[in-house]
Amino acid sequence: MKTKLSPEQVAQFHREGYLMVEDVFTDADLQPVIDEVSEEIDIRAREMVASDELSQTYEDQDFEHRLAKISAETDKVALSIWNGQLSGPAFFGLITNPSLLDVAEQICGEELIASSVYRLRPKIPGHRNSAVPWHQDSGYFEPYCDTALVLTVWLPLVNADATNGCMWVLPRTHLGEVVPHIQANGKPYLEIPDTHLPEGEPLCVPVKKGGVLLMTNKTAHASFENSTDRVRWSMDLRYQSAALPTNANITRLPGESVPSPEAGVPIACYPPEADFLVRSKARPEEILTSAAEFHRLRNEHLAQPMTNRFSASWA
């Protein structure tokens, strides 16, 4: 294990509900993702120029400025790549990066599932969906998994600070319950209303490119407006123990959750998207190792319905 968390770091994560870890990735680790995203933007921009929906491709702009220029005319390009819509080899390489899996294994255990609930987040200056309100990720998951740990790994592809929209957290909120959420006004997000926002002092957590912010699924967090002229690019990835409900195609070990409607055990903590095994000592032959298989899994997975406890929509 090359990327080793100290006992103090692990203790902080479990005590506070978050941990920032520097230098998990090198520039060389992140560049393939940047290149893959840039290529997708270029393809879409050229198509839109050809259909007279965009005045120019803005190919002279760099990674941090190009989508901002395009989005000043239309948000169709941004919305076509937002969240988990891209599933190329570079995304698979990032999700299965050994240094990152070292970190996730120390938090979640050696039988490690990667959730397909990964998200690409371009925080575009002035875009209606850029600011994300206070929420707990568990608000989006099956209630059965509230007492379990689903690890969120938030990683910027550029330096992230308060000016361009880094994360804010409410420490120790993971020690309480999942509080009521509502549909965010005019946005595809859940939001904790002010009347139910847990007490505490919000903490700004800047993260430099190469670092990661780890959070539990019950840690309340938010990301506010980008006040610069550059896109704050980030991704959030999720990992969990294979002992939890998962729709990954794996052999169940003794003691691991098995779906049971009668017992209230769901098929996965987030049934709409596909999980897969990324590390295992007990069943290494079942680890998903192919980018092509990852792409197939993402595109052929049959979304399963889930409990919508807050009667909201975030599609």
Side-chain angles (χ1 to χ4, degrees):
M1 186 171 289
K2 295 181 180 178
T3 306
K4 182 73 173 175
L5 299 178
S6 69
E8 293 76 15
Q9 286 177 305
V10 175
Q12 180 194 320
F13 175 80
H14 290 294
R15 182 183 67 250
E16 304 294 329
Y18 78 94
L19 175 70
M20 197 277 284
V21 186
E22 297 180 331
D23 301 324
V24 173
F25 301 107
T26 65
D27 284 350
D29 290 329
L30 298 177
Q31 193 59 46
V33 177
I34 292 171
D35 292 343
E36 203 162 273
V37 172
S38 298
E39 182 179 354
E40 294 291 342
I41 291 173
D42 188 65
I43 291 170
R44 288 160 171 75
R46 292 181 184 280
E47 290 174 347
M48 295 194 71
V49 168
S51 62
D52 293 325
E53 296 177 87
L54 186 65
S55 66
Q56 57 177 298
T57 62
Y58 294 100
E59 59 189 295
D60 59 321
Q61 300 291 316
D62 63 18
F63 180 62
E64 293 185 59
H65 290 89
R66 187 177 188 183
L67 189 60
K69 294 289 187 181
I70 292 172
S71 297
E73 292 189 42
T74 174
D75 65 357
K76 284 187 177 181
V77 174
L79 294 179
S80 72
I81 64 170
W82 214 294
N83 288 339
Q85 298 186 74
L86 303 182
S87 55
F91 282 76
F92 179 72
L94 184 68
I95 294 169
T96 58
N97 178 278
S99 293
L100 179 56
L101 296 187
D102 285 348
V103 171
E105 180 180 334
Q106 291 168 80
I107 300 294
C108 298
E110 62 186 25
E111 297 298 315
L112 189 62
I113 293 289
S115 167
S116 260
V117 195
Y118 70 83
R119 298 291 183 252
L120 176 66
R121 309 284 194 183
K123 184 179 282 292
I124 303 164
H127 193 277
R128 66 185 185 277
N129 289 345
S130 285
V132 180
W134 288 105
H135 67 283
Q136 296 164 293
D137 284 349
S138 275
Y140 294 93
F141 300 160
E142 285 288 350
Y144 181 91
C145 298
D146 284 355
T147 57
L149 172 62
V150 179
L151 175 67
T152 290
V153 178
W154 186 86
L155 62 102
L157 300 175
V158 298
N159 292 338
D161 56 30
T163 64
N164 67 354
C166 65
M167 287 291 111
W168 289 70
V169 301
L170 279 173
R172 304 197 177 194
T173 46
H174 68 303
L175 301 176
E177 302 299 320
V178 177
V179 300
H181 289 60
I182 59 174
Q183 178 71 46
N185 186 25
K187 294 185 177 184
Y189 305 127
L190 291 176
E191 176 180 12
I192 301 173
D194 292 343
T195 52
H196 288 90
L197 191 65
E199 294 182 359
E201 189 66 30
L203 179 68
C204 180
V205 189
V207 183
K208 291 184 177 179
K209 180 182 178 183
V212 302
L213 172 62
L214 309 179
M215 295 180 287
T216 82
N217 42 302
K218 292 202 296 183
T219 301
H221 59 286
S223 176
F224 304 122
E225 293 290 349
N226 179 354
S227 62
T228 73
D229 64 348
R230 297 170 283 110
V231 177
R232 186 231 64 195
W233 287 97
S234 70
M235 290 193 67
D236 43 280
L237 316 177
R238 289 169 183 84
Y239 300 89
Q240 66 178 61
S241 166
L244 303 182
T246 175
N247 55 27
N249 185 21
I250 56 174
T251 303
R252 302 287 177 172
L253 302 179
E256 293 184 342
S257 294
V258 176
S260 171
E262 297 77 17
V265 182
I267 192 171
C269 289
Y270 190 75
E273 298 187 41
D275 299 337
F276 53 98
L277 190 68
V278 287
R279 262 200 186 167
S280 174
K281 291 186 177 179
R283 48 201 155 192
E285 71 284 353
E286 297 179 17
I287 294 173
L288 195 148
T289 59
S290 162
E293 182 65 13
F294 167 72
H295 181 78
R296 185 201 63 76
L297 181 70
R298 287 287 300 167
N299 285 275
E300 295 183 7
H301 174 71
L302 182 62
Q304 298 293 314
M306 67 176 297
T307 305
N308 186 353
R309 66 174 117 179
F310 301 121
S311 301
S313 172
W314 53 83

